[in-house]
Amino acid sequence: MRRYAMSIAGCWLAAPLWAAEETTATVPAENLATALAADTVWVVAAAALVFFMQAGFALLESGMSRAKNSVNVMMKNYMDVCLGTLVFWLVGYGIMFGDNPSGLFGTSHFMLADAEPWDYTVLLFQTMFAATAVTICSGAMAERTRYDAYLVASAVIAAVIYPVFGSWVWGGLYGGSGWLAELGFIDFAGSTVVHSIGAWCALAGVIVLGPRTGRFEADTGKVRDIPGHNLSLVALGGFILWLGWFGFNGGSTLAAGADIGLICLNTQLAAAAGALGALLFSRATRTPILLTVTVNGSIAGLVGITAGCASMEPQWAILTGLVAGIVAMAGGQLLLKLGIDDVVGAVSVHGFAGAWGTLAAGMFVTGKLFDIQQIAVQLTGIFAAFGWAFPLALLTFLLVKVLMGLRVTTAEEQQGLDVSEHYEVAYPEFHKDMTYFRQ
Amino acid sequence: MNEITKRRAVYTVLSEVIDGDQLWEVMWRWQRGYAAKSQYELHGFFNDCRHIAEISANRSKLYKDLIGLLMGSGDGLREDPYGLMEEFSDRASSVEDVGADDLLAWQQALVCVLASLLRQIPPEQLQTWRGRVEERAQQQGVAADLVYAFSRIMLGKPHNVDMVFSPLQLKHLLNQVYVVMCEMFGPVQADKQLAQAVERANRMQPGGLDARKLLQQK
């Protein structure tokens, strides 16, 4: 904690110390300028790493989808970044970080301009977070969602659902404070704020959409596997996400400080432990140890540690990641039993593991292990996230369904969304007998 | 009462229970067969639409509502749908201009695809599969005559290929076949079997209509 009034209570976006009056009085101005420059470089670099995570999501989700839908998945991920960026600049940033006297949402700094250089840095970094939250829906809803309808729902998530909850935890950068932050809620880099919120929106989306045609046997409800078309892409996507997570968690210090080491180490340990947790779960349940399961296990570990990576010792990070891997796998099976078709396992990996990670962040606080009061606050935040995001996303998707139509027809599903939505195919040779395309 | 008002009344009533392409197909059926006829012929119209579950289930109410609108002052009628009907018609025939010979080629392609599929369905599941396709096709508004033809093909009996069905109807039927295959055998197997059937159908009738057109939606 070099220059920031960062605390484990989620106040990590409080004013930098180089901007505080008492500090400027005692530290030479050139040192402060150097510190600001170093912080800016680090946060912008971290933003670039988080941006790169979008490539990871795109590869992972595309690889887990059938070849005939891979362009559509890529397009959704691509446009999530584009739309999320514009919408977050337009309204999201103001709602999330603007002056927040009520503790419920920000009311200033919309369409940020004529601001301080540091404001632009934070906006850039936070824009990547918003895009991440939005893109979580994409994979879950893959292979049967209308492109236009999906984009409309994405814009609502980026404009309202994500930033309002974010303001409760991280809000008040320009005055005031979020009500969850006031309670002392710990979510350092967004296990709940980013990942669970995205996952609860995804859960609403897949419920409204319904499963892919044939995913469950009509009479018995038996689950039918629909393997992805390219496991190499899945593995590469997993590696890229892992890499990007060092920026996601490390950059959340908003300062080029010594604490980044522990944060990134915890991130690494939890990811590794998450994959191990998934392996143990597979062994315990006598199911094959799949690549997709292993990659999802490590991502669950990453999601899990995101809340507490700055506030726990490495051994607890390992436990957090290990349990996150198990929770995600068990959650995935639960969803299937409920007849919910999440193509990439986003709800279990980002939602269930995110909730567990947020709880773990309160349980394993260095010097304050298993503090009941902190755990109660964490549970409050976890349920508040679900209570806010899920119903609102459900309403959003239902409205989109009624007004625009959310799901493609079965004929389009058969043909593949690459052709039906984009008139473009990723692998023309793969399904030459399935489509009559550009003859 | 002029034809436009009658069309608006039919549209108003039918749009309560069906929508999309199915609605436009039924509207065209009315336009071509019943627009010039008296309202006493409407029973025949509803009879023609009995294969559509939403219509057959609400037949008496729909008839009553329609007569009520035709006898009324014209309040509450929806706008004339003729423009939308024409849009549908353009879309349906946009694949290419379909002449009578072409229509037969479309049907022949479908017969080949179905015959190829027939060889791939496990014999013990064939009857269940056929029954489900028939049931689903009727629910989804595939013409009753086409469903009957499908049954004949699946039973290996002579089918009524001399009857002419629109490419849209043929595509619609094949899609129902695909959906039932997805439900019974899983989407992976369904995709594989359909691809093989299409490929085999094209080999069976060199120079015929490319069977992949049956899968083309736009």
Side-chain angles (χ1 to χ4, degrees):
Chain A
M1 248 61 74
R2 186 156 61 96
R3 288 182 299 276
Y4 279 81
M6 185 187 76
S7 81
I8 55 171
C11 303
W12 58 279
L13 278 171
L17 291 189
W18 38 255
E21 282 180 17
E22 61 271 27
T23 307
T24 51
T26 54
V27 180
E30 62 191 46
N31 285 3
L32 290 175
T34 307
L36 172 60
D39 292 348
T40 302
V41 168
W42 165 237
V43 175
V44 170
L49 279 172
V50 181
F51 173 80
F52 195 41
M53 285 171 69
Q54 294 291 338
F57 278 119
L59 292 171
L60 183 106
E61 293 171 12
S62 175
M64 285 192 186
S65 306
R66 285 169 288 183
K68 62 183 178 180
N69 298 310
S70 51
V71 168
N72 178 254
V73 172
M74 288 278 182
M75 284 286 282
K76 284 197 294 184
N77 278 280
Y78 208 93
M79 283 307 292
D80 276 339
V81 182
C82 301
L83 261 182
T85 298
L86 296 173
V87 169
F88 195 71
W89 172 78
L90 201 67
V91 288
Y93 185 75
I95 291 174
M96 192 158 170
F97 295 107
D99 189 19
N100 191 359
S102 66
L104 297 174
F105 53 87
T107 54
S108 66
H109 293 77
F110 298 101
M111 294 182 279
L112 191 69
D114 297 326
E116 296 296 319
W118 183 247
D119 293 331
Y120 295 130
T121 307
V122 175
L123 170 60
L124 174 72
F125 188 61
Q126 282 304 316
T127 297
M128 303 311 167
F129 275 48
T132 302
V134 170
T135 214
I136 289 168
C137 290
S138 142
M141 298 171 66
E143 303 204 297
R144 75 274 206 203
T145 311
R146 283 190 56 213
Y147 183 64
D148 296 346
Y150 171 80
L151 292 184
V152 170
S154 289
V156 174
I157 293 168
V160 181
I161 299 176
Y162 167 71
V164 168
F165 185 79
S167 78
W168 298 354
V169 183
W170 295 341
L173 186 58
Y174 303 98
S177 182
W179 68 272
L180 276 170
E182 288 293 316
L183 290 178
F185 182 64
I186 301 172
D187 190 0
F188 179 72
S191 282
T192 289
V193 173
V194 179
H195 295 280
S196 289
I197 289 291
W200 304 145
C201 292
L203 178 63
V206 294
I207 287 173
V208 175
L209 264 179
R212 287 168 287 176
T213 303
R215 176 66 161 135
F216 300 101
E217 213 276 333
D219 297 330
T220 62
K222 181 186 158 198
V223 181
R224 294 188 186 284
D225 281 336
I226 307 180
H229 82 283
N230 193 330
L231 293 183
S232 303
L233 292 187
V234 175
L236 183 59
F239 276 124
I240 289 174
L241 281 170
W242 193 328
L243 171 70
W245 231 283
F246 294 123
F248 199 93
N249 288 353
S252 291
T253 56
L254 293 188
D259 47 340
I260 293 170
L262 173 67
I263 289 168
C264 288
L265 175 68
N266 280 347
T267 303
Q268 175 74 9
L269 290 172
L276 186 65
L279 186 150
L280 292 175
F281 183 84
S282 297
R283 279 283 181 241
T285 54
R286 296 170 187 271
T287 49
I289 302 167
L290 304 173
L291 172 71
T292 49
V293 166
T294 307
V295 171
N296 268 350
S298 62
I299 295 171
L302 289 163
V303 169
I305 198 58
T306 297
C309 58
S311 57
M312 65 173 73
E313 293 297 319
Q315 66 271 25
W316 298 114
I318 292 172
L319 183 62
T320 300
L322 188 81
V323 175
I326 294 169
V327 164
M329 297 311 115
Q333 294 206 349
L334 174 70
L335 291 178
L336 285 176
K337 280 192 177 140
L338 294 172
I340 294 171
D341 182 20
D342 172 357
V343 176
V344 301
V347 175
S348 48
V349 167
H350 295 272
F352 299 151
W356 153 249
T358 306
L359 183 63
M363 290 164 65
F364 306 141
V365 180
T366 303
K368 214 170 74 171
L369 285 176
F370 304 108
D371 181 87
I372 296 296
Q373 200 175 355
Q374 187 64 56
I375 290 170
V377 170
Q378 296 302 103
L379 287 171
T380 305
I382 290 165
F383 285 108
F386 185 83
W388 164 252
F390 180 74
L392 205 59
L394 200 63
L395 182 68
T396 303
F397 283 115
L398 283 170
L399 274 176
V400 169
K401 181 182 179 181
V402 170
L403 298 175
M404 300 178 66
L406 186 62
R407 186 171 179 138
V408 298
T409 64
T410 51
E412 289 165 335
E413 210 177 328
Q414 177 272 315
Q415 194 176 33
L417 274 61
D418 289 3
V419 173
S420 72
E421 295 293 292
H422 310 290
Y423 204 55
E424 186 170 38
V425 291
Y427 312 97
E429 301 85 359
F430 278 21
H431 44 177
K432 62 185 170 60
D433 294 321
M434 296 301 287
T435 53
Y436 189 75
F437 181 71
R438 291 186 183 172
Q439 297 295 305
Chain B
M1 180 170 281
N2 63 31
E3 185 182 307
I4 294 174
T5 311
K6 284 200 279 186
R7 186 164 56 233
R8 289 173 62 196
V10 173
Y11 176 55
T12 304
V13 169
L14 290 180
S15 61
E16 293 293 318
V17 291
I18 53 175
D19 58 10
D21 289 351
Q22 194 175 44
L23 173 61
W24 305 129
E25 284 187 23
V26 174
M27 284 303 298
W28 273 114
R29 183 174 295 212
W30 174 85
Q31 184 69 42
R32 289 177 181 135
Y34 298 90
K37 293 181 181 172
S38 82
Q39 63 192 52
Y40 303 108
E41 303 277 350
L42 284 173
H43 273 303
F45 169 63
F46 281 116
N47 206 35
D48 276 359
C49 301
R50 66 187 183 281
H51 59 280
I52 299 171
E54 290 85 351
I55 291 181
S56 64
N58 301 294
R59 180 173 170 161
S60 56
K61 180 185 179 301
L62 293 174
Y63 180 77
K64 200 171 130 193
D65 290 351
L66 184 52
I67 293 295
L69 287 176
L70 292 172
M71 304 292 283
S73 60
D75 291 342
L77 293 182
R78 297 187 67 176
E79 290 295 309
D80 184 13
Y82 197 74
L84 295 169
M85 289 166 64
E86 283 190 319
E87 268 181 35
F88 165 75
S89 187
D90 290 345
R91 188 155 44 85
S93 60
S94 64
V95 178
E96 60 185 342
D97 293 327
V98 183
D101 290 345
D102 289 334
L103 283 174
L104 288 175
W106 278 86
Q107 286 176 198
Q108 192 54 42
L110 179 70
V111 169
C112 289
V113 171
L114 292 176
S116 298
L117 280 175
L118 189 59
R119 292 163 55 178
Q120 297 180 57
I121 307 292
E124 68 277 10
Q125 291 182 293
L126 192 59
Q127 195 177 351
T128 310
W129 176 71
R130 182 170 56 82
R132 286 194 186 177
V133 172
E134 287 168 12
E135 186 184 341
R136 186 178 167 84
Q138 283 169 358
Q139 284 171 356
Q140 296 297 317
V142 177
D145 296 330
L146 184 54
V147 178
Y148 178 69
F150 165 79
S151 300
R152 303 282 294 177
I153 294 166
M154 290 296 110
L155 290 168
K157 294 180 178 173
H159 47 80
N160 44 349
V161 287
D162 51 325
M163 285 194 69
V164 175
F165 303 103
S166 73
L168 206 67
Q169 278 285 334
L170 301 177
K171 287 178 182 183
H172 199 29
L173 172 66
L174 187 57
N175 183 241
Q176 307 319 314
V177 168
Y178 170 76
V179 171
V180 173
M181 284 168 63
C182 282
E183 287 172 351
M184 285 188 66
F185 313 120
V188 175
Q189 194 66 12
D191 277 343
K192 188 177 160 192
Q193 289 182 341
L194 186 59
Q196 286 173 349
V198 166
E199 193 265 336
R200 195 175 294 129
N202 281 339
R203 273 194 281 120
M204 283 163 68
Q205 43 154 16
L209 182 93
D210 189 330
R212 288 179 297 179
K213 284 191 174 181
L214 288 164
L215 304 172
Q216 192 178 12
Q217 302 305 315
K218 290 175 183 170

